[in-house]
Amino acid sequence: MKVLLINGSPNKNGCTFTALSEVTGELEKNGIETEIFHLGKGPFYGCIACLSCSKTDKCVFDGDPCNEIAEKAKKADGLVIGSPVYYAGANGALCAVLDRVFYSSRDAFERKPGAAVVSCRRGGAGSAFDRLNKYFTINSMPVVASQYWNSVHGNTPDELRQDKEGLQVMRTLGRNMAWLLKSIEASKELVAEPERERPRARTNFIR
């Protein structure tokens, strides 16, 4: 089993990476393979609602990591998305990519456990955490919990390492993700996946 972790910070080895590394340590202790994918510094495209992906199952923009993330997600059993907090929200570049990857490749994520991790200096963690969790709940993904909201605090990796509670939350998250993945795997011969209703209903409120 494998978990893909997305580092949504432009800083490869910063606070978000430090938090994700705490999660990977526990996953690997529990026999789960991990990969941290670094989003990088861009440039990144936002969705232009062209709907080309409805015909090709991939985003029309191939110049940033969107389609690469989708391919990695297809081979993963779980997903963790990490982001710094900017103006009480997740990194805008990360959200631009996630909007496209979840819309164009939703089948790569469906029913795979997901978790969000946010890193902030002081405030705004709650709203950033909420923003990222919506990607999971719109794609039938079980959301993995910890012992508190999945946030860490610090302006540098060294400061973050002083957030003992935050680091413990990350470790608990890693253990819970490993437990859920193993539970799903063990139940596959006993419990069938729920059937999808086709076609997918869409209701427009302005008619």
Side-chain angles (χ1 to χ4, degrees), residues 81-145:
I81 300 174
S83 177
V85 174
Y86 297 155
Y87 290 93
N91 179 8
L94 171 65
C95 291
V97 172
L98 293 179
D99 285 352
R100 290 161 46 224
V101 74
F102 273 89
Y103 192 82
S104 63
S105 304
R106 60 173 61 94
D107 289 348
F109 302 96
E110 190 173 32
R111 300 200 182 101
K112 295 179 179 180
V117 166
V118 294
S119 171
C120 66
R121 183 190 69 83
R122 185 170 178 83
S127 50
F129 183 55
D130 175 65
R131 172 75 168 87
L132 294 175
N133 279 319
K134 287 181 169 64
Y135 289 107
F136 311 136
T137 57
I138 204 171
N139 274 278
S140 301
M141 298 173 70
V143 179
V144 184

Side-chain angles (χ1 to χ4, degrees), residues 174-199:
R175 289 192 294 271
N176 287 350
M177 172 71 83
W179 168 76
L180 184 55
L181 286 170
K182 291 177 181 180
S183 297
I184 292 171
E185 184 65 27
S187 71
K188 283 183 176 178
E189 294 183 6
L190 302 173
V191 182
E193 284 192 355
E195 292 184 13
R196 288 193 231 176
E197 289 190 24
R198 299 289 191 186

Side-chain angles (χ1 to χ4, degrees), residues 161-177:
R161 293 185 188 101
Q162 298 176 51
D163 181 7
K164 301 302 182 185
E165 182 177 357
L167 293 178
Q168 188 177 69
V169 168
M170 296 300 109
R171 293 192 297 272
T172 302
L173 177 62
R175 289 192 294 271
N176 287 350
M177 172 71 83

Side-chain angles (χ1 to χ4, degrees), residues 47-70:
C47 181
I48 60 170
C50 67
L51 299 181
S52 294
C53 59
S54 63
K55 301 170 186 169
T56 63
D57 293 325
K58 63 180 293 186
C59 183
V60 69
F61 291 127
D62 225 358
D64 69 16
C66 175
N67 291 321
E68 185 179 0
I69 290 172

